[in-house]
């Protein structure tokens, strides 16, 4: 919908307007509303914009870098209203007006028009096709693109349709994937996927496409966990798909995996976060406590807010700035800790936020060996803001479902390390190739094989011992990354809706 800056108005200045015929009939013209009157729909949109500005003015991490968010920017609600009416939509206001140099400096804040979908995503029950993918140029082509499947969620729509890791998708809904159309090509709710194989450097389409219909389902947070004995060493391995999920359920499942590792006397541990875009900060701290156990009460990560909130927390509630190593999960059950002094982490450019906090949070305390490639580079946390007096869901405006997920703090480790805008650099560089993905949790999967070789010192094959093609570097759609608090962050905050009513 669009709010016009001005409503054009026709003034009739005496007499009547007639046709060119001899008829004396008066021609009826619509009477337009005065330029200070808004329709009910426009009034609601103005309310939403008002909420967006006041929420960002209140708590946005980069408030001081956005002149239009300054407390003295407007002297009255009337001035603020005039400013808000200049923007075509709440989305335009948010992305083009209020974010700090979007998408260069802040590419991770976002706005939604239906917070129910957002909440479902945070519970790992959102609507999805249930697979992750990368893009590569087809062999010997600079125009045709293949989507290669990197992960299929167990029990999701793609899994039910028979899609597998390592499959090549060459067509979507009848359209060949090219360099001109690959971004957003998986946007439809129903996806007819044409698969192909590669034979002697040629893309060979398969006959029968498969259909995947997006649906809401529960994401399995720990779909793969195994114990290997290699070189006389017991090695635990887990692939963690997300730090999102349900407290009391997903943290319990993760704790049970560590209970099994503990029962089998695991000596070394590999945590695979290669496609994990993050989630709850508490899950990350709990995972770190499961790896260790000997640092209860020590700082895992700390938060840096905008100057108003930082000053308030430091004076009134300093503990709110810290995530600490713990001995219990959310339901009070004891954490199954391995008491390790070293952990191996597989992480890539698809690893964000809570995945990165897991790495840097442990580094001041134990040896963290990062195998893979540079991570995504998200060192900020966010919260969900609703249109209520204190931006919590309680008392949210019933007339709409808009919500914000802006960056509100940076996280750092106990030594103050943060601002890794280019990601975390691996100790052992090895990148996935669409030519040879292997299967997650199998010993011949290249990244896992390299990690085990680092542990045992025995390399059975070089990561380069397979045929590759020049696949190029085509990025999938932007991934936001998640580092969020599960608790009610709005309890006892220092400000309510600021400045104007």
């Amino acid at each position: 919908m669009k709010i016009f800056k001005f409503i054009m108005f026709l003034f009739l200045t005496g007499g009547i307007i007639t046709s060119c015929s001899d008829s004396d009939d008066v021609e009826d013209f619509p009477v337009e509303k005065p330029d200070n009157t808004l329709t009910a729909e426009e009034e609601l949109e103005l309310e939403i914009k008002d909420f967006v500005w006041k929420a960002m003015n209140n708590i946005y991490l980069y408030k001081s870098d956005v002149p239009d968010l300054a407390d003295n920017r407007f002297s009255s609600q009337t001035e603020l209203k005039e400013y808000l009416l200049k923007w075509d939509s709440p989305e335009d206001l948010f992305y083009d007006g209020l974010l700090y140099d979007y998408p260069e400096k802040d590419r991770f804040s976002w706005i939604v028009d239906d917070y129910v979908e957002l909440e479902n995503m945070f519970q790992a029950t959102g609507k999805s096709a249930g697979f992750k993918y990368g893009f590569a140029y087809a062999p010997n082509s600079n125009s045709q693109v293949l989507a290669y499947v990197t992960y299929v969620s167990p029990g999701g729509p793609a899994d039910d349709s028979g899609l597998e890791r390592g499959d090549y998708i060459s067509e979507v809904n009848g359209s060949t994937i090219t360099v001109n159309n690959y971004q957003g090509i998986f946007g439809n709710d129903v996806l007819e996927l044409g698969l192909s194989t590669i034979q002697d450097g040629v893309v060979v389409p398969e006959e029968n496409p498969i259909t995947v219909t997006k649906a809401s389902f529960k994401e399995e947070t720990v779909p793969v966990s195994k114990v290997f004995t290699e070189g006389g060493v017991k090695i635990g391995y887990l692939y963690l798909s997300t730090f999102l999920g349900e407290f009391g359920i997903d943290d319990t499942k993760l704790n049970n995996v560590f209970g099994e590792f503990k029962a089998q006397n695991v000596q070394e541990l590999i945590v695979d976060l290669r496609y994990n875009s993050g989630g709850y900060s508490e899950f990350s701290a709990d995972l770190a406590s499961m790896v260790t156990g000997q640092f209860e009460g020590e700082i895992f990560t700390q938060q840096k807010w905008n100057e108003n909130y930082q000053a308030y927390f430091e004076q009134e509630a300093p503990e709110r700035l810290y995530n600490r190593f713990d001995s219990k999960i959310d339901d009070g059950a004891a954490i199954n800790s391995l008491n390790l002094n070293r952990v191996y982490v597989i992480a890539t450019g698809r690893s964000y936020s809570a995945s990165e906090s897991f790495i840097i949070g442990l580094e001041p305390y134990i040896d963290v060996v990062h195998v893979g490639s540079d991570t995504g580079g998200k060192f900020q946390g966010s919260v969900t803001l609703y249109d209520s007096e204190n931006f919590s869901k309680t008392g949210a405006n019933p007339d709409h479902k808009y919500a914000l997920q802006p960056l509100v703090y940076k996280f750092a480790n106990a030594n103050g390390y943060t601002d890794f805008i280019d990601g975390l650099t691996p100790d052992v560089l090895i990148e996935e190739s669409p030519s040879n993905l292997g299967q997650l949790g199998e010993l011949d999967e290249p990244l896992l094989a390299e990690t085990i070789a680092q542990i045992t010192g025995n390399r059975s094959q070089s990561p380069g011992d397979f045929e590759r093609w020049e696949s190029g570097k085509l990025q999938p759609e932007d991934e936001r990354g998640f580092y969020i608090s599960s608790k009610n962050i709005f309890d006892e905050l220092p400000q309510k809706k600021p400045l104007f009513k």
Side-chain angles (χ1 to χ4, degrees):
M1 67 189 78
K2 183 174 182 180
I3 294 289
F4 292 94
K5 297 178 184 176
F6 302 100
I7 300 173
M8 300 305 295
F9 194 95
L10 179 64
F11 291 93
L12 302 181
T13 58
I16 58 174
I17 297 176
T18 64
S19 70
C20 294
S21 70
D22 294 333
S23 171
D24 290 332
D25 292 340
V26 176
E27 183 176 348
D28 292 326
F29 284 85
V31 178
E32 296 192 23
K33 59 183 179 293
D35 60 2
N36 62 349
T37 301
L38 302 176
T39 67
E41 186 177 45
E42 291 168 341
E43 286 284 4
L44 177 58
E45 187 170 84
L46 182 60
E47 273 189 65
I48 296 167
K49 292 176 184 175
D50 187 76
F51 147 62
V52 171
W53 186 88
K54 288 175 178 174
M56 296 292 281
N57 162 267
N58 184 289
I59 203 169
Y60 185 43
L61 172 63
Y62 298 115
K63 171 182 174 178
S64 61
D65 297 297
V66 181
D68 280 345
L69 287 175
D71 289 345
N72 62 357
R73 172 66 176 83
F74 307 105
S75 62
S76 68
Q77 182 68 28
T78 299
E79 280 193 14
L80 174 59
K81 177 181 176 180
E82 291 172 355
Y83 168 80
L84 298 177
L85 286 172
K86 296 177 182 179
W87 298 96
D88 286 346
S89 68
E91 289 82 1
D92 286 340
L93 169 66
F94 184 77
Y95 290 111
D96 298 335
L98 303 183
L99 289 193
Y100 175 39
D101 194 13
Y102 172 82
E104 299 301 321
K105 296 292 194 304
D106 181 357
R107 65 187 195 275
F108 296 120
S109 296
W110 77 98
I111 182 173
V112 297
D113 61 8
D114 186 351
Y115 55 67
V116 174
E117 292 182 8
L118 184 68
E119 292 165 349
N120 288 340
M121 179 177 63
F122 289 158
Q123 294 297 315
T125 58
K127 189 176 183 180
S128 168
F131 70 97
K132 296 184 179 181
Y133 49 87
F135 289 111
Y137 285 107
N140 305 308
S141 176
N142 59 7
S143 59
Q144 185 179 1
V145 171
L146 297 176
Y148 56 96
V149 179
T150 57
Y151 176 68
V152 178
S153 302
D159 186 34
D160 292 343
S161 297
L163 198 67
E164 297 181 349
R165 173 176 163 87
D167 282 344
Y168 299 123
I169 302 171
S170 54
E171 292 186 358
V172 180
N173 294 340
S175 297
T176 299
I177 306 177
T178 71
V179 70
N180 296 319
N181 69 4
Y182 76 96
Q183 290 282 8
I185 199 164
F186 294 109
N188 291 346
D189 281 352
V190 179
L191 303 171
E192 185 179 83
L193 307 177
L195 304 184
S196 291
T197 59
I198 298 175
Q199 300 176 17
D200 298 324
V202 177
V203 176
V204 180
E206 296 183 357
E207 290 186 0
N208 298 315
I210 64 174
T211 300
V212 177
T213 302
K214 294 179 182 178
S216 297
F217 70 98
K218 182 70 172 67
E219 180 76 42
E220 181 59 58
T221 54
V222 193
V224 185
S225 61
K226 294 184 175 182
V227 176
F228 307 105
T229 301
E230 295 291 319
V233 181
K234 279 210 168 180
I235 303 169
Y237 168 85
L238 67 91
Y239 172 77
L240 189 68
S241 65
T242 181
F243 284 97
L244 297 172
E246 298 176 84
F247 284 87
I249 297 177
D250 292 290
D251 52 346
T252 298
K253 289 181 179 179
L254 182 61
N255 199 36
N256 290 341
V257 168
F258 274 81
E260 184 62 26
F261 287 164
K262 193 171 183 178
Q264 295 195 48
N265 297 311
V266 160
Q267 299 165 278
E268 300 279 5
L269 178 66
I270 302 170
V271 179
D272 192 341
L273 304 175
R274 72 182 73 187
Y275 311 127
N276 191 315
S277 56
Y280 292 122
S281 56
E282 286 87 347
F283 277 2
S284 179
D286 282 351
L287 177 60
S289 299
M290 294 171 194
V291 172
T292 58
Q294 60 269 48
F295 305 108
E296 182 181 355
E298 296 293 321
I299 294 173
F300 176 62
T301 56
Q302 54 185 313
Q303 302 170 1
K304 306 290 185 182
W305 296 67
N306 70 32
E307 59 184 21
N308 292 342
Y309 274 88
Q310 189 69 22
Y312 173 82
F313 286 138
E314 287 177 355
Q315 181 173 346
E316 302 293 337
E319 268 306 302
R320 293 193 60 157
L321 296 173
Y322 301 105
N323 270 354
R324 298 184 182 272
F325 290 91
D326 198 2
S327 61
K328 296 179 180 180
I329 58 175
D330 192 66
D331 66 1
I335 281 179
N336 293 314
S337 299
L338 299 183
N339 295 296
L340 297 177
N341 292 307
R342 177 172 58 199
V343 64
Y344 293 81
V345 181
I346 298 175
T348 68
R350 309 288 291 274
S351 308
Y352 286 93
S353 302
S355 293
E356 294 168 300
S357 77
F358 174 73
I359 295 172
I360 69 165
L362 280 173
E363 282 180 335
Y365 301 96
I366 67 173
D367 187 15
V368 180
V369 182
H370 171 185
V371 179
S373 53
D374 291 348
T375 60
K378 187 185 178 202
F379 47 87
Q380 306 100 330
S382 65
V383 295
T384 305
L385 305 179
Y386 301 85
D387 186 6
S388 69
E389 283 302 306
N390 67 344
F391 308 113
S392 70
K393 189 175 181 181
T394 302
N397 189 334
D399 296 329
H400 69 86
K401 290 187 177 179
Y402 269 86
L404 310 182
Q405 194 72 31
L407 301 179
V408 297
Y409 58 82
K410 298 191 296 186
F411 63 80
N413 67 12
N415 294 337
Y417 177 65
T418 185
D419 291 329
F420 43 91
I421 192 167
D422 295 321
L424 303 174
T425 303
D427 300 290
V428 181
L429 175 62
I430 174 173
E431 295 185 341
E432 282 194 318
S433 168
S435 309
N436 183 34
L437 286 175
Q439 296 301 315
L440 296 174
E442 298 298 322
L443 290 172
D444 60 352
E445 187 275 308
L447 270 64
L448 177 56
E450 176 62 30
T451 308
I452 289 178
Q454 293 291 322
I455 294 172
T456 64
N458 299 320
R459 179 172 284 107
S460 59
Q461 70 166 20
S462 164
D465 289 346
F466 51 85
E467 182 180 356
R468 295 176 183 261
W469 80 83
E470 294 299 323
S471 57
K473 292 199 178 284
L474 296 171
Q475 294 299 318
E477 293 84 350
D478 288 341
E479 293 180 281
R480 299 183 178 101
F482 303 107
Y483 189 81
I484 54 179
S485 173
S486 66
K487 308 303 181 186
N488 186 359
I489 201 166
F490 301 97
D491 291 344
E492 301 175 1
L493 285 183
Q495 300 180 36
K496 302 294 184 182
K497 276 194 173 182
L499 303 182
F500 316 116
K501 288 293 184 181

